[in-house]
Amino acid sequence: MFAKRTNWNLAPNRLSEALAAYRAAGKPLLDLTVSNPTECGFEYDRPAILNALSNPAALSYEPNPRGLESARRAVAAYYGDRSEDVSAEDIFLTTSTSEAYSYVFRMLCDPGDELLIPSPSYPLFDFLADIQDVRLVRYPLLYDHGWQIDFHALEQGITPRTRGVIVVHPNNPTGHFAKRAEIAKLNAICSARGMAIIADEVFLDFPLEENRRASFAANRDAPTFTLSGLSKISGLPQMKAAWLAVSGPQQWKNEAVARLEVIADTYLSVNAPVQLATPKFLEKRHTFQEQVISRVRRNLAELDRQLAAQRASSRLTVEGGWCAVLRVPAVRSDEDLAIELLTTRGVSVHPGHFYEFPSDGYLVLSLITREQTFAEGTRRLLSFF
Ligand SMILES: Cc1ncc(COP(=O)(O)O)c(C=O)c1O
């Protein structure tokens, strides 16, 4: 009686089973996979956040498919602060980046149409695509002293059914940004073939280098959807506030916005208190981001200090985001290794295959882990080899 698109294998994998058993036994765990910022000991301006949610204007209902203008203006100002010219009229508020993806997938793709996605990358895409009947085609990212898009493979992956290219900027977990020349090439490929760029910028504000990377939100050289939200930017995933910005050739943009309006109007999914609080939540991003960036830098420095004292493992270059990728001896599968690290050292890490790394020998560590846990977990991890 169920749709085939929901025929997922829901059996827990060996690592999640091992983790559940380890936790059930009440053993102490050094968790180097944390991604929920509200559980990482960052300081939030609690009164300001809670006060922002009690705006009396929330007592009236003003349905608008794009979302409340005051919130969209605040998002446009966020881009303005980065010197990116984005109009509030081109912004649609959503409850999450995932929901923004679903609007875009629904608008661009008939069942069976294809989207190109980077590999390695974030594992949620498979479910998002299944639910929207979209087929994902992976384009490899190559590593050689830094990550880059394999454009040859990307172009080979294009078929008459390809509707767009997803770019995660910076990517999770590789932490690399699309470079100026890569953006120009993506624009050329997409505009020549009537395809869209779908840019996921949830980690845009977390670069490790001083020079700020441009957003796709003001990209006008190809049809572009730019997705972001407060879950990472302000560290508030529980508030369920995100957005989608549309940019590109004017005639295309008019049509895209009109169609998106119908999709968004069908759901009107973002609630009034959160929309009214969005300007305040965005204002609070600076203090959150300072804490995250300084923790990420300190954890990375600690990792490098420990790596310098051994020879078996190394780390890949990281330009931004919340993760580090470790290259470790591929003496067993990533999954076996993660299970062994858990059961013998009490350390939890993500195996590379979770993100579709092309081979064994990669582990992913969260750089927003509390410093003490990170230092001790890393010490135990590296002493394993
Ligand atoms: C690359 C990327 N995009 C989107 C998301 C999810 O964002 P949201 O909470 O807005 O759906 C995540 C969450 O980890 C992510 O890593």
Side-chain angles (χ1 to χ4, degrees):
M1 70 175 280
F2 298 110
K4 288 192 199 67
R5 76 170 76 81
T6 62
N7 280 349
W8 295 297
N9 174 7
L10 298 176
N13 62 38
R14 288 192 305 123
L15 177 56
S16 34
E17 272 177 345
L19 200 52
Y22 189 90
R23 286 203 159 108
K27 295 184 193 162
L29 179 68
L30 293 168
D31 188 357
L32 306 189
T33 70
V34 289
S35 63
N36 178 352
T38 65
E39 290 181 355
C40 292
F42 296 120
E43 272 180 36
Y44 289 90
D45 184 346
R46 297 156 66 104
I49 291 170
L50 294 174
N51 281 340
L53 288 168
S54 56
N55 188 327
L59 292 172
S60 55
Y61 184 37
E62 271 184 61
N64 180 334
R66 287 176 169 81
L68 285 182
E69 192 178 336
S70 55
R72 287 184 289 112
R73 279 187 188 282
V75 175
Y78 159 77
Y79 288 110
D81 287 350
R82 308 179 51 90
S83 309
E84 318 264 4
D85 181 17
V86 178
S87 159
E89 285 307 294
D90 298 332
I91 292 166
F92 286 77
L93 302 182
T94 60
T95 53
S96 63
T97 314
S98 299
E99 187 179 62
Y101 274 118
S102 79
Y103 286 8
V104 174
F105 289 7
R106 247 10 215 170
M107 194 179 70
L108 292 178
C109 299
D110 285 316
D113 280 349
E114 296 168 5
L115 291 169
L116 289 158
I117 64 157
S119 181
S121 195
Y122 170 63
L124 195 70
F125 289 127
D126 290 301
F127 291 101
L128 285 171
D130 283 352
I131 293 167
Q132 316 299 330
D133 298 332
V134 170
R135 227 175 73 76
L136 296 179
V137 176
R138 291 179 155 75
Y139 64 90
L141 304 171
L142 301 176
Y143 187 80
D144 183 12
H145 300 286
W147 291 94
Q148 50 189 296
I149 296 173
D150 180 346
F151 275 101
H152 178 69
L154 185 150
E155 288 188 279
Q156 296 224 311
I158 297 174
T159 75
R161 302 208 66 169
T162 311
R163 296 285 168 266
V165 182
I166 294 175
V167 185
V168 185
H169 179 63
N171 189 33
N172 176 8
T174 60
H176 79 288
F177 289 87
K179 307 296 177 304
R180 208 176 285 273
E182 291 179 316
I183 295 171
K185 210 156 172 179
L186 284 168
N187 280 335
I189 291 170
C190 289
S191 58
R193 292 178 173 84
M195 291 163 26
I197 296 174
I198 303 161
D200 178 332
E201 296 188 341
V202 297
F203 293 109
L204 183 69
D205 291 348
F206 301 95
L208 283 167
E209 294 151 8
E210 289 310 317
N211 56 337
R212 181 174 266 188
R213 303 295 181 148
S215 162
F216 278 85
N219 184 38
R220 288 174 177 62
D221 294 341
T224 306
F225 300 98
T226 303
L227 282 49
S228 191
L230 297 184
S231 67
K232 306 290 187 286
I233 283 183
S234 298
L236 295 170
Q238 75 279 32
M239 296 303 173
K240 308 307 293 179
W243 60 84
L244 140 63
V246 189
S247 62
Q250 191 62 42
Q251 208 184 336
W252 171 84
K253 194 174 82 175
N254 293 345
E255 201 168 323
V257 162
R259 287 168 189 247
L260 268 174
E261 237 182 54
V262 177
I263 297 178
D265 199 30
T266 305
Y267 296 104
L268 292 169
S269 55
V270 193
N271 69 66
V274 164
Q275 293 188 67
L276 290 163
T278 291
K280 178 59 76 181
F281 293 165
L282 270 170
E283 186 191 310
K284 290 284 157 198
R285 73 185 185 277
H286 302 289
T287 43
F288 172 71
Q289 292 179 5
E290 280 160 20
Q291 296 176 68
V292 172
I293 290 177
S294 77
R295 180 173 299 176
V296 163
R297 283 187 197 287
R298 283 199 296 269
N299 280 339
L300 211 46
E302 173 64 19
L303 178 59
D304 286 344
R305 197 186 61 72
Q306 294 195 26
L307 284 169
Q310 53 83 64
R311 303 183 71 165
S313 305
S314 57
R315 80 164 167 89
L316 306 191
T317 303
V318 45
E319 295 168 0
W322 294 4
C323 293
V325 180
L326 268 194
R327 187 89 179 90
V328 296
V331 288
R332 47 177 81 58
S333 79
D334 286 351
E335 188 177 38
D336 284 340
L337 180 56
I339 292 172
E340 231 171 303
L341 283 167
L342 174 70
T343 51
T344 67
R345 310 283 152 129
V347 177
S348 174
V349 292
H350 275 149
H353 81 258
F354 189 69
Y355 300 91
E356 302 255 345
F357 273 79
S359 64
D360 287 321
Y362 295 97
L363 297 176
V364 176
L365 313 184
S366 167
L367 294 171
I368 63 163
T369 309
R370 289 170 202 255
E371 278 101 328
Q372 236 182 331
T373 308
F374 187 86
E376 177 58 15
T378 303
R379 193 189 61 70
R380 291 196 205 171
L381 162 62
L382 295 179
S383 70
F384 183 84
F385 300 101

